[in-house]
């Protein structure tokens, strides 16, 4: 009897430590039932999402945390729950405040008596990293002064447009714009004045283009415009 009592106390101590570890975890943790409904969330989960634990209890994990992500990725998470398999991935949802939230999610099955009874899900907030990655991607593909696609992105879009035109048996036109004597403006009035001229040019030209046309800054005072579906007469009319 004494041994059984000691074993029980030891088991209760381990359970208490485990509970406190999950409660105080820097990662958001959720326990799901076999159907993927939330039975428990730790304080970090509530802090991360902005929802109270009472509001989350019984809700489908996929409905709560994948509302902003592509249907294909949502389907992969749902399939993992149905099949009882582990899953890792990045999902975007919204906090209760409406703010977007990127999370890295690790889902693992809990096996009892050789069958999956529950899942444990651990979530890490990666919103800051995602924002940084988006800024880097934007800087790599867009001109910082005008906001137009740069030469690299323009060449990629041009290749796509040509392939589409060939496939659909359509025509188009490619225009190049080069500002004469632009260097004199920078030399005489300074680079801020030159920047203003470039931004004004972009605004004026942009107003004449359609949403499907491509307008890019190739470098310096050189620009390119791809007019999709234009014949020669339409291209000349736009150029004028």
């Amino acid at each position: 009897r004494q041994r059984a009592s000691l074993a029980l106390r030891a088991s209760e101590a381990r359970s208490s430590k485990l509970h406190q570890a999950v409660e105080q975890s820097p990662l958001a943790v959720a326990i799901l039932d076999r159907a993927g409904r939330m039975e428990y969330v730790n304080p970090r989960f509530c802090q991360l999402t902005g929802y109270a634990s009472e509001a989350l209890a019984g809700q489908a994990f996929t409905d709560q945390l994948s509302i902003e992500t592509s249907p294909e990725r949502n389907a992969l998470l749902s399939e993992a729950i149905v099949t009882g398999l582990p899953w890792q991935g990045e999902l975007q949802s919204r906090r209760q405040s409406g703010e977007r939230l990127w999370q890295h999610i690790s889902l693992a099955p809990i096996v009892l008596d050789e069958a999956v009874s529950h899942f444990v899900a651990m979530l890490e907030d990666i919103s800051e990293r995602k924002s940084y990655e988006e800024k880097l991607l934007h800087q790599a593909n867009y001109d910082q002064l005008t906001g137009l696609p740069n030469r690299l992105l323009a060449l990629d879009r041009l290749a796509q447009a040509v392939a589409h035109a060939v496939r659909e048996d359509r025509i188009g036109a490619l225009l190049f714009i080069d500002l004469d004597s632009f260097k004199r403006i920078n030399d005489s009035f300074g680079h801020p004045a030159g920047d203003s001229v470039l931004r004004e040019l972009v605004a004026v030209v942009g107003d004449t283009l359609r949403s499907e046309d491509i307008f890019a800054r190739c470098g310096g005072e050189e620009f390119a415009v791809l007019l999709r579906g234009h014949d020669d007469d339409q291209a000349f009319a736009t150029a004028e």
Side-chain angles (χ1 to χ4, degrees), residues 109-165:
I110 299 174
V111 178
L112 294 175
D113 297 326
E114 300 183 352
V116 176
S117 65
H118 292 77
F119 294 90
V120 57
M122 291 176 288
L123 292 72
E124 179 183 6
D125 184 0
I126 57 170
S127 302
E128 187 174 342
R129 173 169 69 80
K130 280 291 186 179
S131 176
Y132 182 67
E133 290 175 353
E134 289 174 1
K135 288 180 181 178
L136 288 180
L137 184 62
H138 189 275
Q139 291 173 1
N141 290 285
Y142 290 87
D143 175 58
Q144 299 304 298
L145 175 64
T146 63
L148 295 177
N150 60 18
R151 181 191 296 271
L152 181 65
L153 183 57
L155 289 174
D156 179 70
R157 290 188 175 177
L158 176 60
Q160 294 180 27
V162 170
H164 181 267

Side-chain angles (χ1 to χ4, degrees), residues 38-42 45-46 49-59 96:
M38 289 179 279
E39 289 188 352
Y40 163 84
V41 293
N42 71 346
F45 193 104
C46 298
T49 63
Y51 290 93
S53 58
E54 294 80 10
L56 295 171
Q59 288 198 28
Q96 187 181 36

Side-chain angles (χ1 to χ4, degrees), residues 1 13 37 182 185 227 235 237:
R1 181 180 297 178
R37 295 182 294 265
F182 180 73
I185 297 177
L227 305 173

Side-chain angles (χ1 to χ4, degrees), residues 100-117:
R100 289 188 177 184
L101 172 66
W102 271 104
Q103 305 140 102
H104 181 273
I105 298 177
S106 298
L107 180 75
I110 299 174
V111 178
L112 294 175
D113 297 326
E114 300 183 352
V116 176
S117 65

Side-chain angles (χ1 to χ4, degrees), residues 38 46 49 54 70 77 80 118 142 176 181 197 203 217 236:
M38 289 179 279
C46 298
T49 63
E54 294 80 10
S70 67
L77 174 58
H118 292 77
Y142 290 87
F176 287 99
S181 304
V197 170
R217 185 183 183 190
F236 281 123

Side-chain angles (χ1 to χ4, degrees), residues 2-239:
Q2 186 176 9
R3 287 183 179 179
S5 177
L6 291 174
L8 178 60
R9 281 198 293 250
S11 177
E12 291 175 344
R14 286 194 299 269
S15 296
S16 177
K17 288 179 181 178
L18 178 60
H19 176 74
Q20 291 302 317
V22 173
E23 282 282 295
Q24 300 176 33
S25 171
L27 296 178
V29 179
I31 303 297
L32 322 178
D33 65 14
R34 186 61 186 84
R37 295 182 294 265
M38 289 179 279
E39 289 188 352
Y40 163 84
V41 293
N42 71 346
R44 175 56 180 156
F45 193 104
C46 298
Q47 180 186 26
L48 188 63
T49 63
Y51 290 93
S53 58
E54 294 80 10
L56 295 171
Q59 288 198 28
F61 182 71
T62 52
D63 290 346
Q64 179 63 35
L65 295 175
S66 58
I67 55 176
E68 293 289 321
T69 315
S70 67
E72 294 80 8
R73 189 164 298 183
N74 291 348
L76 291 175
L77 174 58
S78 297
E79 182 181 357
I81 293 175
V82 170
T83 57
L85 296 175
W87 185 85
Q88 287 191 41
E90 296 176 354
L91 297 178
Q92 187 183 43
S93 62
R94 288 184 183 273
R95 293 184 169 92
Q96 187 181 36
S97 63
E99 181 185 2
R100 289 188 177 184
L101 172 66
W102 271 104
Q103 305 140 102
H104 181 273
I105 298 177
S106 298
L107 180 75
I110 299 174
V111 178
L112 294 175
D113 297 326
E114 300 183 352
V116 176
S117 65
H118 292 77
F119 294 90
V120 57
M122 291 176 288
L123 292 72
E124 179 183 6
D125 184 0
I126 57 170
S127 302
E128 187 174 342
R129 173 169 69 80
K130 280 291 186 179
S131 176
Y132 182 67
E133 290 175 353
E134 289 174 1
K135 288 180 181 178
L136 288 180
L137 184 62
H138 189 275
Q139 291 173 1
N141 290 285
Y142 290 87
D143 175 58
Q144 299 304 298
L145 175 64
T146 63
L148 295 177
N150 60 18
R151 181 191 296 271
L152 181 65
L153 183 57
L155 289 174
D156 179 70
R157 290 188 175 177
L158 176 60
Q160 294 180 27
V162 170
H164 181 267
V166 171
R167 186 169 58 252
E168 302 292 331
D169 193 24
R170 299 183 65 190
I171 59 176
L174 182 62
L175 310 179
F176 287 99
I177 303 173
D178 187 7
L179 297 183
D180 293 334
S181 304
F182 180 73
K183 186 174 183 300
R184 293 182 182 177
I185 297 177
N186 283 332
D187 292 343
S188 301
F189 303 101
H191 288 281
D195 291 346
S196 295
V197 170
L198 293 178
R199 283 193 289 263
E200 181 65 23
L201 169 71
V202 169
V204 171
V205 174
D207 286 342
T208 68
L209 302 178
R210 304 163 304 168
S211 59
E212 61 264 35
D213 296 327
I214 299 173
F215 186 20
R217 185 183 183 190
C218 298
E221 67 274 21
E222 298 176 348
F223 297 82
V225 179
L226 176 63
L227 305 173
R228 298 190 178 191
H230 274 42
D231 58 24
D232 289 345
D233 292 338
Q234 291 172 314
F236 281 123
T238 300

